[in-house]
């Protein structure tokens, strides 16, 4: 898998509907995982909401999204992030180190419940980033 850079949209309880809508617009394959599937970490009433959704089209479009749990801030209009995903651990850790160096780490880059290495940061320009290293061992 090559490294992908794509938008990541946040929703409040309607990510499944939104991602299915975008699939109807762009076509492609949609995969959805709930918080229940991913190990929880949310209120009981939110376990069946979407922890991660990915829409990939034959034409190369990639759009990701998830529900924002009630314990996290959610402001419509600013509910977006930029996601970097791939398997090249050295490449992605290099991006992480540079993006987070002048910003704020909001979730350290470490082993996640779903088996990948995952982290979140806001760079020095205020842009939120997600980095996911597929199947990478904890470093």
């Amino acid at each position: 898998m090559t490294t992908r850079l794509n938008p990541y949209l946040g929703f409040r309880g309607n990510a499944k509907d939104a991602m299915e809508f975008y699939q109807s617009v762009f076509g492609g394959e949609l995969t959805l995982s709930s918080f229940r599937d991913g190990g929880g970490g949310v209120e009981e009433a939110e376990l069946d909401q979407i922890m991660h959704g990915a829409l990939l089209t034959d034409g190369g479009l990639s759009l990701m999204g998830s529900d924002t749990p009630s314990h996290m801030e959610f402001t419509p209009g600013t509910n977006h992030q930029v996601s970097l995903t791939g398997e090249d651990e050295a490449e992605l850790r290099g991006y992480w180190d540079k993006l987070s160096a002048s910003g704020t780490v909001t979730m350290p880059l470490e082993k996640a419940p779903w088996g990948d290495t995952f982290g979140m940061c806001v760079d020095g320009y205020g842009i939120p980033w997600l980095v996911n290293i597929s199947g990478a061992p904890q470093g």
Side-chain angles (χ1 to χ4, degrees), residues 80-83 99 103-104 120-130:
H80 60 277
Q81 298 167 314
V82 183
S83 173
L99 289 166
T104 304
M120 298 168 57
C121 69
V122 178
D123 70 20
Y125 296 97
I127 303 301
W129 291 86
L130 309 172

Side-chain angles (χ1 to χ4, degrees), residues 77-101:
T78 62
N79 49 326
H80 60 277
Q81 298 167 314
V82 183
S83 173
L84 281 167
T85 58
E87 294 175 345
D88 188 328
E89 183 172 4
E91 176 184 39
L92 287 159
R93 280 190 182 277
Y95 295 148
W96 169 265
D97 291 344
K98 292 174 185 175
L99 289 166
S100 63

Side-chain angles (χ1 to χ4, degrees), residues 5 10 14 35 50-51 55 58 79 81 83 88 96 100-101 114:
L5 174 74
N14 61 349
F35 287 102
I50 302 303
M51 182 186 81
L55 176 62
D58 291 339
N79 49 326
Q81 298 167 314
S83 173
D88 188 328
W96 169 265
S100 63
W114 57 91

Side-chain angles (χ1 to χ4, degrees), residues 17-133:
D17 292 339
M19 295 302 291
E20 288 173 346
F21 167 74
Y22 296 130
Q23 182 184 32
S24 77
V25 172
F26 300 113
E29 182 179 343
L30 176 62
T31 57
L32 299 170
S33 300
S34 70
F35 287 102
R36 186 181 311 276
D37 299 333
V42 296
E43 299 291 325
E44 179 74 25
E46 298 172 321
L47 284 172
D48 293 320
Q49 290 184 3
I50 302 303
M51 182 186 81
H52 178 69
L55 176 62
L56 303 173
T57 72
D58 291 339
L61 299 179
S62 175
L63 179 64
M64 295 183 179
S66 66
D67 283 308
T68 305
S70 59
H71 69 271
M72 296 175 72
E73 182 179 332
F74 177 80
T75 305
T78 62
N79 49 326
H80 60 277
Q81 298 167 314
V82 183
S83 173
L84 281 167
T85 58
E87 294 175 345
D88 188 328
E89 183 172 4
E91 176 184 39
L92 287 159
R93 280 190 182 277
Y95 295 148
W96 169 265
D97 291 344
K98 292 174 185 175
L99 289 166
S100 63
S102 64
T104 304
V105 172
T106 55
M107 181 179 288
L109 186 62
E110 59 190 21
K111 187 79 166 182
W114 57 91
D116 295 348
T117 298
F118 178 79
M120 298 168 57
C121 69
V122 178
D123 70 20
Y125 296 97
I127 303 301
W129 291 86
L130 309 172
V131 175
N132 192 89
I133 306 168

